[in-house]
Amino acid sequence: MTNEPNHRSPLVHRVHLTAGSSERRLLEVESGASASFRDLVAGAASFGAALLAQGHIEPGDHVLILAPPGIAWARAFLAVLFAGGAVVAAPLAAPRSELAYITTDSGARLAIVSNELADELPAHLSKIDVASAIEAPPELPVIDAAAAALVLYTSGTTGKPKGAVLTHENLAAQTSSLRDAWGFAPNDVLLHTLPLHHLHGVVVAFLTALTTPAEIHMLAKFDAGTICDELSRVTVFMAVPTMYRRLLDHADALDAGRRDAFERACRGLRLATSGSAALPVTLAERWRTITGAIPLERYGMTEIGIALSNPLDPAGRKPGMVGTPLPTVEIRIIAEDGTDTDGPGELWVRGPSVMKGYLGREEATRASFRDGWFTTGDIAVRDEDGHVRLLGRSSTDILKTGGEKVSALEIEEVLREHEAIAEVAVVGIPDPMWGDRVVAAIVPKDGAASACTTDLLRAWAKQRLAAYKVPKDFVTMPALPRNAMGKVLKPDIVRALSQDN
Ligand code: AMP
């Protein structure tokens, strides 16, 4: 034990070196409460030491955190890391069955939970209030760089969610490469509006800013109006594509004065990034019309961190592409016959931010690595400049129809150009004749449903797509099913449409 929180973990070392002596602040936008990073780190060290001293946890334990984004959440998160535990990031607003699953699967020994959410967790799990005032002198353990720091559950768009275990080393490598690649500096202010149980919210946004140290303005939940007002006070905005769409739709309905202020705030941002799902080119262009640049799109995955990124310089960004590997990341694109190619093929990734494995699932871990490379399941192509374009996930987006292979993402990109279509997801419905029957689920724009018949849309699509790529059916929906990150849940659509047949 030491009374200087241990420095063998490069992440904990960095947090102390930067945030630990910084007057930069974490601000809760809705409540107006704020804490300096110095106080946050000191409070987390005392809290973590008290968790150990009072026997709530031991180093190496998994500790579930279920609390709204804000200062108390951040203190608990850092306290667990400082105490040598691993945070199990639990989703807010998840059904009790999912929380029970995560509790059991993660082997969590304790939950740090906000009062109003305590009953959502299984009764047998020990709980401590996220606002608890327990404190002890900060005598904290030596933490191995290879120790688990964070367990993140994968989106589970196929099968049961699996816990990806990220180590202190993984998180240090990830945040360091993003700080460099995206030019983070202490005069940055990040607007944080992403869920904290996903890589994007907790690592890419929160930890990257904290370890800069750059100020963080944190929203408890996404609200387009609040974001419009807050944008003028920040320099960096990170979002998923649906957030950009909701924000721009909201801004379209503002009166001229407020719209002007919104556009000025957008133009004043140093950096706006997009990820977690493909950024539609039409949406990127809407952002460009206002700011002069498309958002910086990057690609990552819970298991590997952010691997590919467009450049910081807007002139080098390519719409519809996810960029080139970050400096410490190596990639391969592997054709079906197992040879290296520029695509299409499966994207394989290697580097210091790649997880060691899934919690308690040796078989699944073994199956996802080949010769030390993580096999992403994403299908990619690379252009002559080394920029990568994603064609989608092999399991849900690469459709085999009548002997041809088609990319659902490519078809969606074309259909989004149609003036009556607000949102679209292309899926393959199992079909004895076609293999995958290509079907487009669409959400019509307000008042445009009559323009969205299969006949009209097929005729339009035939002018723009090879015949075998034109969806056989267009099915309208009031909204597409999405997870907390705005990712479309294609298996749900396939299930719903298969039942209809
Ligand atoms: P998750 O682990 O929940 O972050 O999901 C990772 C998956 O999201 C990846 O395997 C991709 O299929 C998808 N993804 C992430 N970023 C992008 C992007 N910029 N464009 C397209 N798909 C993306």
Side-chain angles (χ1 to χ4, degrees), residues 155 198 274-279 297-303 322 376 378 390 393 409 487:
S155 312
H198 282 290
S274 176
S276 292
L279 177 67
E297 184 169 8
R298 91 301 179 281
Y299 159 86
M301 208 176 173
T302 309
E303 293 88 335
V322 291
T376 65
D378 286 309
L390 290 180
R393 292 206 58 71
L409 300 197
K487 218 186 285 274

Side-chain angles (χ1 to χ4, degrees), residues 455-467 470-471:
D455 285 349
L456 289 173
L457 291 178
R458 269 180 63 79
W460 182 90
K462 273 184 188 157
Q463 315 281 316
R464 292 159 177 87
L465 285 166
V470 175

Side-chain angles (χ1 to χ4, degrees), residues 4 58 121 150 152 219 241 284 298 437 487 489 496:
E4 275 277 287
E58 287 172 15
L121 292 170
L150 181 60
L152 289 176
L219 266 75
R298 91 301 179 281
R437 183 178 172 83
K487 218 186 285 274
L489 299 169

